[in-house]
Amino acid sequence: MKKLLIVESPAKAKTIGKYLGADFVVKSSVGHIRDLPKDDKAIKVIKESESHWAFDPTYEISEGKTKVVNELKAATKASDEIYLASDPDREGESIAWHLKDVLEPVADGKPFHRVTYNEITKKAVLKAVAEPREINMSRVDAQQARRILDRLVGYKVSQLLWRNVNCPNPKTLSAGRVQSVALRLLVERQREIDAFKSETYFLMGVEAKRPQDD
């Protein structure tokens, strides 16, 4: 039975391939394989109610990754099981989810496994492969939320910097994907505080005691 294990780094692929032996083919995704397109259609904003919005992202194969994806598809077709061994953080979890989503149509029902390890040692890698798990969608959702907010807020603030900050090369400036979003949340909260109108109110109550039955 031939097994495919996919890691992020080409250097890791070589090392881990030595640990796993002839039963495994180890390939690298070279980081993310998909991302949001650069146009305005990347995220569909859906207003579900006055206080609740939903965001539906569209993904495409990242520039320069077509060859990598085609190689991974060929390896998937030639394998009986697929192990997704991207990094154990939320970015790695997201990469595993994207890999599965892209490769599943050519896998013809073959099983996918998520494996993680915190050190590149033979013992840790073999233990991870022996104890696979499902993809953690909470981590995937966390990464998607961060990426969506980056596109909706961070990109626009960076462009504002380019137009208004006087420096030799303004497009080298970046507002930061996390800092800009956090700042916006703080500003919105402060506006709520500033708009609050205090009112005098009283709390009233009464204590009652039922007479004892004779």
Side-chain angles (χ1 to χ4, degrees), residues 7-195:
V7 297
E8 290 185 41
S9 163
K12 288 182 182 179
K14 293 181 180 179
T15 302
I16 292 172
K18 296 176 183 178
Y19 296 154
L20 295 176
D23 290 340
F24 277 85
V25 173
V26 182
K27 295 284 187 179
S28 168
S29 69
V30 197
H32 285 272
I33 62 166
R34 291 199 306 189
D35 198 4
L36 299 170
K38 295 180 180 180
D39 57 37
D40 294 336
K41 297 179 181 180
I43 302 166
K44 183 179 180 182
V45 181
I46 306 166
K47 185 176 182 180
E48 297 184 341
S49 68
E50 287 300 321
S51 59
H52 190 270
W53 299 73
F55 304 91
D56 183 19
T58 298
Y59 295 103
E60 65 181 16
I61 301 300
S62 300
E63 186 177 352
K65 285 299 182 72
T66 301
K67 181 180 178 181
V68 172
V69 170
N70 288 339
E71 290 177 353
L72 293 176
K73 286 182 176 180
T76 297
K77 292 177 182 179
S79 302
D80 300 301
E81 294 183 61
I82 300 91
Y83 291 77
L84 307 171
S86 46
D87 293 349
D89 56 13
R90 64 186 172 194
E91 290 291 329
E93 206 72 22
S94 176
I95 290 172
W97 177 76
H98 282 289
L99 284 168
K100 183 180 179 182
D101 196 52
V102 170
L103 299 176
E104 207 166 29
V106 301
D108 196 25
K110 298 167 186 173
F112 283 78
H113 310 287
R114 174 74 170 118
V115 297
T116 56
Y117 37 81
N118 294 310
E119 57 184 39
I120 310 300
T121 62
K122 186 173 182 178
K123 180 180 178 181
V125 171
L126 292 178
K127 185 175 186 296
V129 171
E131 300 174 357
R133 61 170 173 82
E134 297 295 323
I135 292 174
N136 186 328
M137 287 307 300
S138 293
R139 287 187 178 181
V140 175
D141 291 341
Q143 192 276 341
Q144 288 195 97
R146 177 180 176 178
R147 190 72 185 93
I148 289 169
L149 286 172
D150 182 25
R151 175 58 63 88
L152 294 178
V153 181
Y155 275 33
K156 293 180 180 178
V157 177
S158 292
Q159 292 171 11
L160 186 65
L161 287 177
W162 300 345
R163 292 194 299 267
N164 294 280
V165 175
N166 186 16
C167 70
N169 191 0
K171 289 197 174 183
T172 60
L173 300 175
S174 173
R177 67 168 66 187
V178 178
Q179 298 93 320
S180 298
V181 175
L183 179 60
R184 174 166 178 163
L185 294 173
L186 289 171
V187 169
E188 289 179 349
R189 181 59 178 154
Q190 186 61 48
R191 286 172 177 169
E192 292 177 2
I193 293 171
D194 293 341

